[in-house]
Amino acid sequence: MPDLHWLSLAEAARLIESREVSPVELTEAALERTAAVDGELNAFIALLAETALTEASAAADEIAAGGYRGPLHGIPVGLKDIFDVAGARTTAASKAPVGHRPESDSECAKRLREAGAIILGKLNLHEIALGATGIVSSHGPARNPWDTTRITGGSSSGSGAAVASGELLAALGTDTGGSIRIPAALCGIVGIKPTFGRVSRRGLMPLSWSLDHAGPLTRTVEDAAIVLQAIAGHDPGDPASSGVEVHDYTSRIGDGVKGMRVGVGSRWFSDDLPEEIAANFREAVGVLESLGAEVREVDPPHIDEVAGAVACIMLPEAFTYHAPWLRDHADKYSEEVRFRLELGATYSADQYINSLRFREMVVEAWRQVFSQIDIVATPATMAAAGPIERSDLSTTYSLIRFTNPFNFLGTPAISVPSGFTSEGLPLGLHLTAHWFDEARVLRAAYAYEQATDWHTRRPPL
């Protein structure tokens, strides 16, 4: 049997269901792996080893008694440290007193537990989730398993590092401008941002109420579908939660892309896109085409105006949430994060409201795009993981250029491993579809994944 920590979630689930592996064995393997590599990676802020082993033992007893709940039963997972986990402090990787010790789980943690998952710990992030590099954290930066001198991408930095390194089989992150898909791409794993409102954000420290999404990071597309299935669905406790029916994400995941219309927009490509990234993307689209997809040129409407509108929404909302602590504890925030929060106070009400109105117009324009195609494909990022010491705000543009628009739109989007640079650093293919069509996004990503072997590569830790 291979090392347990390198099993996919789906593989581990089959072994647990057949009782060839117990949840205790799998949790112990995850803890051993974490002890071996997290000193280099700094993915965890809090390791809940004692409670995790207790939960694993209870899961083993329940399964032995015939109470198997499904593919997450007995699986060790982690959550970005802005999700509340009962009894574990939520810090948001900040020295500012924004955290607390919750008495109850976030809705996502609650649903994971109901599915039988074992919560192994809380994961590192870019402070308060306000950053795409992952390097600003009161806990120190998380490091990329492929090269520990490099960034993981953020803000779900610890989630990306922990899954890519084999510390966890799955993790949850959040995504306001790309913060699930960026670390997925830079760490060589899968990350899906579901449709806005598809997954509850109750019990999750907000960055931007209008743009925040929660979703899974995993090593395979099938695993992402399994985790998303568990956490998706209406939550009356989240005002933004949607009541749109949740599909069975795994039932038709293998149907392929034959006849699927894949849109590629030339306006996204310009002289500043490195040829290595462009070549990797062309090759990935060629794989989809070879599988029967129909590739079409699309003109992404208003794409050049989206970044400014996102800033007009995200920064004022972030400032509003953090204003009580900024008044009395501004010096506790890192300089970069404090600057961006205070910038949020400079936007006027009409700028904020007009950006919300502009979004309605852009959404309508994109509905027309999605009436002509099924999937939009882009590179996940403009660059692979850069050196930690040279990553700053100027790096952000190269990371969020292709992800940011789909937070603004609220459409489901995924990053799936698509290869490596000449330096051996991972790259990702980014796919998005119509609102609430996560099933199609997963199906396209799965078809690409199964036609390539990028997801089978392991970092040299």
Side-chain angles (χ1 to χ4, degrees):
M1 182 179 295
D3 292 330
L4 293 181
H5 63 267
W6 284 132
L7 291 172
S8 72
L9 191 160
E11 290 169 340
R14 287 189 282 271
L15 292 173
I16 286 175
E17 184 179 16
S18 64
R19 302 189 199 174
E20 296 174 69
V21 170
S22 80
V24 175
E25 289 177 291
L26 194 61
T27 302
E28 287 176 340
L31 289 169
E32 289 171 9
R33 179 64 172 173
T34 300
V37 303
D38 204 62
E40 293 182 71
L41 299 179
N42 201 30
F44 279 85
I45 285 180
L47 191 62
L48 310 177
E50 185 176 343
T51 57
L53 287 169
T54 300
E55 291 171 8
S57 179
D61 290 343
E62 187 176 9
I63 292 166
Y68 182 67
R69 302 187 199 181
L72 278 173
H73 204 171
I75 301 292
V77 302
L79 288 82
K80 182 177 182 177
D81 194 21
I82 55 173
F83 289 87
D84 283 352
V85 172
R89 186 166 180 79
T90 301
T91 73
S94 180
K95 292 180 181 178
V98 298
H100 64 296
R101 191 176 298 276
E103 295 181 359
S104 59
D105 284 333
S106 58
E107 182 66 15
C108 279
K110 173 175 171 284
R111 294 189 185 201
L112 287 174
R113 289 194 200 275
E114 288 173 347
I118 311 300
I119 296 178
L120 202 70
K122 307 291 291 294
L123 298 165
N124 207 352
L125 65 149
H126 200 107
E127 183 181 5
I128 69 165
L130 185 55
T133 63
I135 65 169
V136 178
S137 167
S138 61
H139 197 66
R143 295 177 178 271
N144 196 307
W146 294 92
D147 180 345
T148 56
T149 69
R150 306 272 179 161
I151 66 171
T152 58
S155 62
S156 307
S157 53
S159 300
V163 172
S165 64
E167 295 178 274
L168 293 168
L169 280 71
L172 293 192
T174 59
D175 194 312
T176 307
S179 292
I180 288 171
R181 293 156 291 155
I182 292 167
L186 269 54
C187 293
I189 58 174
V190 175
I192 184 168
K193 175 193 80 67
T195 305
F196 184 80
R198 174 57 92 195
V199 172
S200 174
R201 300 165 306 165
R202 181 156 56 105
L204 188 161
M205 186 181 294
L207 175 63
S208 171
W209 294 283
S210 300
L211 299 168
D212 290 344
H213 302 64
L217 295 92
T218 59
R219 285 198 290 275
T220 72
V221 176
E222 181 184 15
D223 291 355
I226 290 169
V227 178
L228 182 59
Q229 196 76 57
I231 61 175
H234 180 62
D235 172 19
D238 178 357
S241 178
S242 171
V244 173
E245 180 185 1
V246 177
H247 300 286
D248 183 338
Y249 295 129
T250 59
S251 64
R252 299 187 62 185
I253 198 170
D255 282 2
V257 294
K258 187 175 182 179
M260 194 177 288
R261 300 166 299 174
V262 176
V264 177
S266 60
R267 287 180 62 204
W268 262 303
F269 297 92
S270 60
D271 293 340
D272 57 351
L273 184 66
E275 175 54 28
E276 193 169 32
I277 304 294
N280 176 269
F281 176 66
R282 288 193 295 268
E283 184 176 339
V285 171
V287 170
L288 291 174
E289 196 166 21
S290 72
L291 296 172
E294 177 189 340
V295 177
R296 297 184 177 184
E297 185 77 22
V298 296
D299 182 19
H302 305 289
I303 201 66
D304 299 326
E305 305 161 75
V306 165
V310 167
C312 284
I313 296 171
M314 180 187 71
L315 293 177
E317 290 186 349
F319 170 78
T320 299
Y321 180 79
H322 286 274
W325 298 288
L326 281 168
R327 279 195 295 268
D328 300 322
H329 305 283
D331 60 322
K332 299 295 185 182
Y333 291 91
S334 67
E335 183 178 355
E336 175 204 298
V337 166
R338 183 176 68 250
F339 170 78
R340 297 188 71 193
L341 285 173
E342 291 174 346
L343 187 61
T346 68
Y347 290 90
S348 63
D350 67 304
Q351 286 176 306
Y352 175 74
I353 291 168
N354 281 330
S355 293
L356 292 175
R357 293 179 64 196
F358 174 65
R359 180 164 60 179
E360 294 175 5
M361 181 181 73
V362 175
V363 165
E364 187 55 38
W366 274 85
R367 289 192 192 280
Q368 299 304 311
V369 172
F370 283 118
S371 71
Q372 302 167 37
I373 58 169
D374 302 304
I375 292 282
V376 172
T378 70
T381 61
M382 285 181 64
I388 287 174
E389 68 275 9
R390 295 209 304 269
S391 294
D392 53 28
L393 284 175
S394 67
T395 309
T396 298
Y397 173 74
S398 68
L399 298 178
I400 69 171
R401 179 178 174 187
F402 298 120
T403 57
N404 204 20
F406 302 106
N407 291 83
F408 191 65
L409 291 171
T411 55
I414 195 168
S415 178
V416 60
S418 64
F420 294 83
T421 67
S422 58
E423 296 181 283
L425 298 170
L427 297 172
L429 171 65
H430 187 267
L431 304 170
T432 188
H434 195 280
W435 295 263
F436 299 102
D437 203 355
E438 287 84 4
R440 192 185 304 270
V441 169
L442 289 160
R443 183 176 134 201
Y446 184 80
Y448 174 80
E449 176 192 73
Q450 295 302 300
T452 61
D453 70 349
W454 307 121
H455 65 290
T456 67
R457 311 289 180 93
R458 299 289 175 253
L461 278 175

